[in-house]
Amino acid sequence: MMIRTRFAPSPTGYLHIGGARTALFSWAFARHHGGRFILRIEDTDVARSTPEAVQAILDGMAWLDLAHDEGPFYQMQRMDRYRQVIADMLDRGLAYRCYMLPEELDALREAQRAAGEKPRYDGRWRPEPGKTLPAPPAGVAPVIRFKNPAEGSVAWKDLVKGSIEFANAELDDLVIARADGTPTYNFCVVVDDWDMQITHVIRGDDHVNNTPRQINILKALGATVPQYAHLSMILGDDGTKLSKRHGAVSVMQYADDGYLPEAVINYLARLGWSHGDAEIFSREQFVQWFDLDHITPSAAQFNTEKLRWLNQQYIKAADDARLAALTRPFLIKNGANPDDGPALAAVVALVKERAATVKELAAAAALFYRTPHPAPELLALHVTPEVLPALGDLVAKLGSIAWERAAIAAAFKETLAAHTLKMPKLAMPVRVLVTGETQTPAIDATLELVGRDQAIARLKAAL
């Protein structure tokens, strides 16, 4: 059997972390089994679906490199197919027209609640043997309802949550087409999964209550029922439902904040799934290891600091030329010119050890691409009269050595010995004068990248 999975987001907003994890697990399961991964856009909510939201989903999938094998398919382009199936169901007695007005349904539900009953449709327009239905009221467009089995139960072995069963008596007759003829979400999903031969539905556990209805429709149609795996929700750092303040933002916001896609993929993979104690692994390893057996049925907890740590590990290991290309736009946005200074790849190599994001990498690199303007209080604190003689000697030495880190370090060492100074006493005023900052990488490495002419000119300005 060819494994076929799907990711089916509604384009009513951006692709968020929960959706991205669902997409990742569906993609990985298909890849692990040599199957097919289908992208389907469930855009029947016309009032809320927008082209911008569709593009945001596509952009997020592309950034994460979750390539689909088929699609994207759009439900709004499949309306004729849905109407065809509904007509067939009416002909076969699997569905029926219901003329109950919305206000009648509201009144029924209110009465049921008042009586302490579960609010549900009472089947008044459901055809049954020996039952006489009233004449259709004039001028009322009916909804179409699925004739749900009245007895027994619907059960399935969920691949994450285990055995789940619903009594059919708890499920009323689902509306599968609205009064304007528009098919409903639960019905479109069924026809799509049937037509696209989906074998495994991997989705959030907010869909558990939809599953028995969908299974009953699939069985009525004579379709093969896929296997279901419902993923538990993701909680925020504080254990509450994930929200924007926890990180439930657009996946593309992580790109804007300077995260690497492979770090986000690695982090998402560990949100509810594990392979032993493995924390850092490649996309290829994840595909090789991934299964549904090791997805935990309990809620996963989002940890922003863990994501930052993971991203830092990927930045440390990343190719410097690639990091330079990613850093460049951040530098330009902050007003720095990466073409006016040392090679950006060399700067990135020097500063990347401490950066948790590309944005932080750019902030650390910026000092190499701007003219320093040391604050007067920093100059007064560090460039003192007693250190000026040592600074003068250092400048003289720097003017005659080979401009490389080892030689610069030797010049510092000789100057410190001659003036009986500790390294911070000399390195700090040099750092302030050359960069305008008190925090930089090693001073010899920093001077090497700044360049002889710039470094000496800035130091001489204080003498």
Side-chain angles (χ1 to χ4, degrees):
M1 178 184 66
M2 168 72 75
I3 298 294
R4 293 174 63 84
T5 66
R6 47 77 158 181
F7 177 53
S10 298
T12 54
Y14 45 73
L15 177 63
H16 55 76
I17 282 294
R21 183 188 64 166
T22 298
L24 173 63
F25 285 10
S26 299
W27 172 86
F29 189 73
R31 290 289 177 270
H32 178 83
H33 291 283
R36 307 281 287 176
F37 175 58
I38 292 91
L39 177 60
R40 189 169 78 216
I41 306 297
E42 297 186 340
D43 55 351
T44 54
D45 188 347
V46 178
R48 297 176 61 216
S49 299
T50 66
E52 293 77 15
V54 172
Q55 192 58 51
I57 290 167
L58 297 177
D59 289 345
M61 296 285 285
W63 185 67
L64 293 172
D65 195 20
L66 298 179
H68 49 275
D69 302 302
E70 298 174 26
F73 298 106
Y74 296 86
Q75 288 185 329
M76 287 303 294
Q77 297 174 8
R78 288 174 45 79
M79 286 293 144
D80 289 345
R81 170 60 176 156
Y82 304 139
R83 293 188 178 105
Q84 173 193 3
V85 176
I86 287 172
D88 180 63
M89 292 177 71
L90 287 168
D91 289 344
R92 295 167 57 193
L94 302 176
Y96 60 93
R97 295 175 178 86
C98 172
Y99 294 89
M100 192 174 190
L101 295 171
E103 50 267 31
E104 290 180 300
L105 184 58
D106 290 341
L108 171 65
R109 288 172 173 167
E110 191 60 40
Q112 289 169 331
R113 289 191 191 95
E117 301 171 2
K118 180 179 178 180
R120 61 198 306 275
Y121 173 66
D122 61 3
R124 66 182 63 179
W125 287 94
R126 176 179 170 126
E128 300 285 7
K131 179 180 179 180
T132 302
L133 296 176
V140 176
V143 299
I144 308 300
R145 289 184 180 272
F146 169 62
K147 196 174 182 182
N148 194 77
E151 298 177 347
S153 63
V154 54
W156 74 95
K157 176 67 179 297
D158 196 275
L159 298 176
V160 171
K161 295 185 173 296
S163 297
I164 300 178
E165 184 172 0
F166 285 77
N168 280 319
E170 294 295 311
L171 308 173
D172 55 6
D173 291 350
L174 180 72
V175 174
I176 60 175
R178 302 177 183 90
D180 64 1
T182 307
T184 58
Y185 163 78
N186 270 303
F187 178 72
C188 295
V189 167
V190 165
V191 177
D192 289 342
D193 286 345
W194 180 26
D195 287 354
M196 296 172 193
Q197 300 177 299
I198 301 303
T199 62
H200 293 76
V201 173
I202 301 169
R203 59 187 179 186
D205 64 2
D206 53 327
H207 288 283
V208 165
N209 287 336
N210 293 329
T211 303
R213 303 178 183 279
Q214 294 172 10
I215 289 175
N216 278 342
I217 298 174
L218 284 163
K219 288 181 175 179
L221 292 170
T224 300
V225 177
Q227 296 188 68
Y228 293 90
H230 288 95
L231 310 175
S232 295
M233 70 169 64
I234 302 172
L235 302 177
D237 302 79
D238 57 2
T240 61
K241 185 178 178 181
L242 193 66
S243 66
K244 286 185 179 181
R245 67 189 173 89
H246 298 112
V249 295
S250 166
V251 164
M252 296 310 295
Q253 184 64 50
Y254 288 95
D256 294 342
D257 289 343
Y259 287 87
L260 301 181
E262 59 269 35
V264 175
I265 285 285
N266 192 157
Y267 184 74
L268 288 177
R270 292 284 286 113
L271 274 179
W273 173 88
S274 63
H275 181 79
D277 296 326
E279 289 283 356
I280 301 176
F281 41 81
S282 68
R283 177 187 300 260
E284 291 73 25
Q285 285 175 313
F286 176 54
V287 168
Q288 180 184 346
W289 294 338
F290 185 73
D291 59 16
L292 300 176
D293 296 335
H294 290 88
I295 296 176
T296 175
S298 57
Q301 192 157 351
F302 192 88
N303 186 319
T304 305
E305 285 307 308
K306 184 66 174 290
L307 174 59
R308 279 178 54 81
W309 173 84
L310 196 58
N311 200 58
Q312 186 172 32
Q313 309 315 305
Y314 276 93
I315 284 177
K316 287 179 181 179
D319 175 74
D320 294 331
R322 178 194 171 208
L323 283 180
L326 292 172
T327 303
R328 174 177 287 272
F330 286 97
L331 282 169
I332 294 171
K333 184 178 180 181
N334 292 333
N337 181 2
D339 296 320
D340 184 18
L344 183 52
V347 173
V348 162
L350 179 61
V351 302
K352 71 179 185 178
E353 284 295 315
R354 296 182 181 179
T357 66
V358 178
K359 184 180 281 189
E360 291 179 8
L361 200 57
L367 67 88
F368 292 95
Y369 302 101
R370 64 175 181 230
T371 302
H373 299 286
E377 56 270 24
L378 285 180
L379 293 174
L381 181 63
H382 297 293
V383 188
T384 58
E386 53 264 37
V387 84
L388 289 177
L391 275 175
D393 284 357
L394 178 65
V395 169
K397 286 182 171 60
L398 293 177
S400 60
I401 62 172
W403 199 254
E404 57 188 26
R405 185 173 179 178
I408 295 170
F412 267 88
K413 188 174 181 180
E414 292 170 13
T415 305
L416 291 170
H419 292 267
T420 61
L421 293 173
K422 298 290 186 182
M423 185 63 171
K425 196 70 176 177
L426 182 58
M428 190 60 80
V430 171
R431 189 172 276 118
V432 168
L433 289 168
V434 174
T435 72
E437 306 286 344
T438 57
Q439 297 288 329
T440 72
I443 192 62
D444 49 2
T446 299
L447 293 181
E448 181 184 36
L449 284 181
V450 168
R452 186 198 309 269
D453 293 345
Q454 289 278 23
I456 289 179
R458 294 171 186 177
L459 290 171
K460 280 185 175 180
L463 298 176

